[in-house]
Each structure stands twice: as C-alpha cells, then as structure tokens.
Amino acid sequence: MEYETHSSEETFNLGFEMAQKAHKGDIICLDGQLGAGKTVFAKGFAKGLGIKEEINSPTFTIVKVHQGGKLPLYHFDVYRLASGYDMDDIGYEEYFFGDGVCLIEWASMIDEIIPLTATKVEIKKYITKDFDYRKIIVTKRR
C-alpha cells in the first residue's frame, strides 16, 4: 500500500490507524532518511495503542518499553548499531517474540535479524514537491 501525507499530522494519523490494527508479536520496521517522519509516525502509533506517555526516539538507549496501552510497545532506534548481531546484547528476541508490538526505527540497519513476517514502512520525503509531503510505502517482507 502507498500513502501520501502532506503534514506531520497526517503522518501521525497513519501511525495511529496502523496501531489500531496491531496484534501481539507484530514487528513494524521504519525506514527513511533523517527528518522523514519516523518518530512522528511512532508517536501516532503509540497513541493508537493507547499509550499516554511522551514518545521520543530511543537513540542512545536502543529500546524503550512503553506500557499502558492495549499492548506494550517496544520502540527501537538502531541507528547507532553496526549490525543486527549487536542486538544480541539487549536480548532482542524477548521483544521480537514477546507480548507486545515492536516498532524499529532504521530497521534496515539490522535487516539480517528481522523476521520475514515483519511489516516494512518506508517514509520518503520529496521536498521538491512540498516540504511536508511524504510518500509512505507499507509492505509485508514476505
């Protein structure tokens, strides 16, 4: 599926809508250049799960666990990792196969460990069209 958004609100709302359909064990892989809207999407996704706490990118902690919604949210930012094998140190399998939903920013950096059942969300910005314009492509990895 392809979506076009013309504001950060629309990108947020797409994340919100996707979270409404989320199930235990879902893995959502977010990719896009810096400033594309990955964290905006993540904030909408968390809100869609019913999580009330503030969401920001866990760049230095790699993963943040957010409770209080219909499912726990395991929010990863793997930008600083050299490969997926660095995820072994944080016990990623407990999150990937746990009771919540994983949302992974910069997921292509750890592609070798992402399950084939994951959903890929690629956010592309085209400032030549409009500064706030985004094309968001959602696909299953399979």
Side-chain angles (χ1 to χ4, degrees):
M1 301 274 314
E2 287 189 12
Y3 303 89
E4 293 182 339
T5 64
H6 301 276
S7 67
S8 58
E9 274 183 350
E10 289 180 8
T11 301
F12 179 98
N13 289 339
L14 181 58
F16 183 94
E17 290 170 17
M18 282 187 67
Q20 298 283 289
K21 301 170 191 166
H23 297 93
K24 172 183 165 183
D26 284 352
I27 298 175
I28 311 299
C29 300
L30 292 175
D31 276 299
Q33 63 201 83
L34 283 170
K38 293 179 297 296
T39 302
V40 169
F41 181 94
K43 288 178 182 205
F45 196 91
K47 185 78 162 183
L49 288 176
I51 295 169
K52 295 181 181 5
E53 66 186 284
E54 179 65 28
I55 303 298
N56 49 43
S57 194
T59 303
F60 296 102
T61 58
I62 309 300
V63 65
K64 286 185 181 175
V65 177
H66 300 282
Q67 304 281 353
K70 73 174 188 173
L71 294 166
L73 174 62
Y74 311 129
H75 184 194
F76 292 83
D77 182 328
V78 298
Y79 182 75
R80 299 193 183 285
L81 299 182
S83 77
Y85 302 109
D86 292 338
M87 294 280 286
D88 287 336
D89 295 338
I90 63 167
Y92 76 92
E93 290 171 327
E94 289 180 38
Y95 299 107
F96 280 20
F97 306 107
D99 292 329
V101 177
C102 292
L103 190 68
I104 308 168
E105 295 188 41
W106 300 100
S108 61
M109 307 275 290
I110 61 167
D111 195 55
E112 65 273 14
I113 65 165
I114 301 289
L116 292 176
T117 56
T119 299
K120 181 178 179 181
V121 177
E122 185 176 8
I123 304 174
K124 297 180 177 186
K125 65 180 182 177
Y126 297 94
I127 56 172
T128 54
K129 275 194 158 193
D130 181 9
F131 182 77
D132 292 322
Y133 174 85
R134 301 294 187 266
K135 181 181 273 189
I136 302 173
I137 303 162
V138 179
T139 57
K140 281 288 194 182
R141 286 190 45 148
R142 280 190 176 177

